[in-house]
């Protein structure tokens, strides 16, 4: 799947548009190279593929819209990851508030999760949704996205010790949940 976010730009020497066109090209390549990874992270965080797609698209649109202010184009991927994480947090907060104020409707989604490799992934995704938000974020960023403790701490805005704690508790809780399912 090749999707381009490039807009036609007419560049004239000395008007600065040539640099913008080059940056647009770099952002298009960034989109093509990292969209799936960011989508997987978002799906694991919010457990809803459609919402995850919206989250990732919003993150790319924000970077694209602010490309003129991007001081270091090489840090665009880090900005995207942070934007995906922040947007996922917002979606989860809104869900929590909506759940609190809306009556419960018992509906079960009969469609399997199409993000991956069958039932094992669906069971894991379901177990991840039962973790507290911070534990889920730490486990997904640390073990799924394969970030270091330092990078995970930076993205979450906590200390490395907190990341270790969240991961330890999250993995222990996942172990308990997955034993019940297997």
């Amino acid at each position: 799947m090749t999707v381009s976010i490039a807009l036609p730009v007419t560049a004239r020497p000395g008007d600065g548009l040539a640099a913008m066109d080059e940056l647009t090209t770099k952002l298009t390549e960034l989109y093509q190279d990292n969209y799936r990874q960011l989508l997987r992270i978002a799906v694991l965080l919010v457990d809803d593929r459609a919402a995850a797609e919206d989250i990732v698209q919003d993150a790319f649109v924000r970077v694209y819209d602010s490309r003129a202010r991007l001081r270091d184009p090489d840090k665009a991927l880090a900005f995207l990851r942070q934007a995906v994480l922040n947007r996922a947090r917002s979606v989860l907060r809104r869900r929590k508030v909506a759940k609190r104020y809306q009556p419960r409707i018992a509906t079960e989604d009969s469609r399997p999760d199409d993000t991956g490799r069958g039932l094992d992934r669906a069971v894991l995704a379901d177990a991840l949704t039962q973790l507290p938000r911070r534990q889920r974020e730490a486990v997904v960023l640390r073990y799924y996205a394969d970030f270091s403790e330092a990078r995970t701490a930076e993205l979450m805005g906590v200390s490395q010790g907190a990341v270790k704690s969240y991961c330890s508790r999250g993995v222990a809780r996942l172990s308990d949940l997955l034993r019940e399912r297997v």
Side-chain angles (χ1 to χ4, degrees):
M1 173 170 86
T2 303
V3 178
S4 176
I5 59 173
L7 297 175
V9 176
T10 306
R12 283 175 241 121
D15 65 1
L17 291 177
M20 288 294 287
D21 193 36
E22 182 180 333
L23 186 56
T24 300
T25 302
K26 286 182 181 182
L27 288 173
T28 302
E29 291 170 4
L30 185 71
Y31 179 90
Q32 292 169 347
D33 294 342
N34 296 286
Y35 176 79
R36 288 183 183 209
Q37 176 197 22
L38 293 171
L39 179 63
R40 283 186 219 116
I41 290 170
V43 166
L44 287 172
L45 290 172
V46 298
D47 193 34
D48 179 6
R49 185 174 176 93
E53 288 173 350
D54 289 342
I55 288 168
V56 175
Q57 288 295 334
D58 286 348
F60 275 103
V61 168
R62 286 182 187 190
V63 170
Y64 182 80
D65 287 344
S66 62
R67 69 191 181 281
R69 297 186 316 259
L70 197 60
R71 290 183 203 140
D72 188 359
D74 296 331
K75 293 186 179 178
L77 181 57
F79 179 77
L80 281 167
R81 287 184 183 130
Q82 188 66 50
V84 167
L85 182 61
N86 290 341
R87 185 79 172 107
R89 287 175 178 164
S90 295
V91 166
L92 293 173
R93 271 193 303 272
R94 266 189 251 109
R95 280 186 192 167
K96 188 176 180 179
V97 169
K99 189 181 267 188
R100 190 178 311 154
Y101 293 105
Q102 290 181 351
R104 281 203 175 274
I105 300 174
T107 58
E108 189 74 26
D109 188 10
S110 60
R111 294 178 297 140
D113 181 16
D114 63 344
T115 60
R117 303 177 185 134
L119 182 62
D120 293 337
R121 184 172 293 263
V123 169
L124 177 61
D126 184 48
L128 277 169
T129 62
Q130 297 179 38
L131 293 179
R133 179 180 62 91
R134 290 298 222 172
Q135 288 178 13
R136 180 175 49 247
E137 287 176 5
V139 168
V140 169
L141 292 173
R142 181 75 177 99
Y143 299 112
Y144 184 79
D146 200 29
F147 292 138
S148 67
E149 287 174 356
R151 182 68 180 134
T152 301
E154 180 183 333
L155 285 171
M156 291 179 66
V158 298
S159 68
Q160 287 186 29
V163 169
K164 290 177 188 179
S165 177
Y166 289 137
C167 286
S168 174
R169 290 179 185 155
V171 168
R173 178 73 177 129
L174 278 176
S175 295
D176 291 341
L177 291 170
L178 294 175
R179 274 193 220 117
E180 292 174 8
R181 301 266 179 146
V182 177

